[in-house]
Amino acid sequence: MNKKKLSHLNELGEAAMVDVSEKPAQLREAIAEGEIRLESGTLELIESNKVAKGNVLATARLAGIMAAKKTGDLIPLCHPLPITHCEVTFELPATRDRIIIKGSAKIRAQTGVEMEALTAVSVAALTIYDMCKAVDKTMVIGSIRLVSKTKK
């Protein structure tokens, strides 16, 4: 059986930052996805820009990008990375019961950017929730996951 070890633990089992000093810098990209389920009426308010707090998707997009840039400050053992690109997009499926959030991050570095992509999606979803909570008490954030990560 292949025994995998947790990279964020030292030989004593204590939390530790991974040393990537000797790894080569490579172009890396990660894509994450998640969703927020909501009422169709809430989606109509978002689309018509009638939510009292302002343009929900524009604000969520900016919040996600800003959060990706701060991931190293939010997650204790995550390397602080100067990401070179981040994007947050939204899909409104025909079911009219959710918003699918996609986030991507790129960098040329010694470590990956999956945490940044996941953070972008998470914070974008939280921002939608915050901006719409006064009109929709049924919202549920979920299915946040890494879709892909690549390095070249």
Side-chain angles (χ1 to χ4, degrees), residues 3-142:
K3 289 200 175 199
K4 293 184 178 184
K5 90 175 207 176
L6 296 174
S7 61
H8 284 83
L9 296 178
N10 65 18
E11 58 279 348
L12 300 174
E14 301 164 332
M17 183 180 246
V18 174
D19 183 358
V20 296
S21 303
E22 300 301 320
K23 290 177 76 176
Q26 293 180 289
L27 179 61
R28 298 167 184 264
E29 181 176 15
I31 300 170
E33 185 176 280
E35 68 181 25
I36 182 166
R37 292 180 169 268
L38 37 66
E39 295 177 355
S40 61
T42 307
L43 194 53
E44 289 172 22
L45 290 173
I46 292 169
E47 287 179 307
S48 62
N49 202 20
K50 291 184 179 174
V51 175
K53 288 187 173 185
N55 187 319
V56 174
L57 298 182
T59 304
R61 178 176 289 108
L62 285 175
I65 292 168
M66 291 172 66
K69 292 166 41 174
K70 294 287 191 181
T71 301
D73 293 334
L74 300 171
I75 300 172
L77 300 175
C78 199
H79 292 88
L81 298 176
I83 60 176
T84 56
H85 182 71
C86 182
E87 186 173 356
V88 175
T89 61
F90 306 99
E91 179 186 331
L92 312 176
T95 55
R96 310 287 295 161
D97 64 347
R98 73 191 74 201
I99 298 172
I100 298 169
I101 305 161
K102 294 183 181 179
S104 66
K106 285 184 185 177
I107 193 168
R108 179 169 297 281
Q110 297 161 297
T111 188
V113 289
E114 58 267 33
M115 296 309 298
E116 286 71 12
L118 288 161
T119 299
V121 169
S122 300
V123 172
L126 288 167
T127 301
I128 294 168
Y129 188 98
D130 178 57
M131 293 184 77
C132 298
K133 66 186 178 205
V135 296
D136 190 343
K137 306 295 186 205
T138 69
M139 292 181 291
V140 176
I141 295 169

